[in-house]
Amino acid sequence: MSLYFEPAETVTLLKGGTATARMPTPVERRGLEMGEGIPVIVIFRADGSRELYAADHIRVGR
């Protein structure tokens, strides 16, 4: 039995953008309504904005 599942959403990393994974702060975890032990993916956009996602719900693509 495989525990792998397809992420619910694909986030596109555009030219000039970067992504990093880290553990969330308690406030971020509550805001994303996620359990403990799940990392977040932070997408930094070329325009200076950033987006935060639960790592078990997305995949990053181009």
Side-chain angles (χ1 to χ4, degrees):
M1 179 165 113
S2 174
L3 296 178
Y4 178 78
F5 64 94
E6 287 294 317
E9 180 181 1
T10 298
V11 176
T12 302
L13 190 59
L14 304 172
K15 185 175 180 176
T18 59
T20 189
R22 64 171 171 79
M23 295 309 290
T25 66
V27 171
E28 291 169 336
R29 192 167 44 80
R30 283 190 300 273
L32 291 172
E33 298 178 355
M34 51 193 276
E36 290 189 38
I38 301 169
V40 292
I41 303 291
V42 185
I43 305 291
F44 296 93
R45 300 293 185 183
D47 66 3
S49 64
R50 73 178 196 153
E51 300 163 11
L52 189 69
Y53 300 92
D56 65 342
H57 283 78
I58 70 156
R59 94 174 96 215
V60 178
R62 277 202 170 232

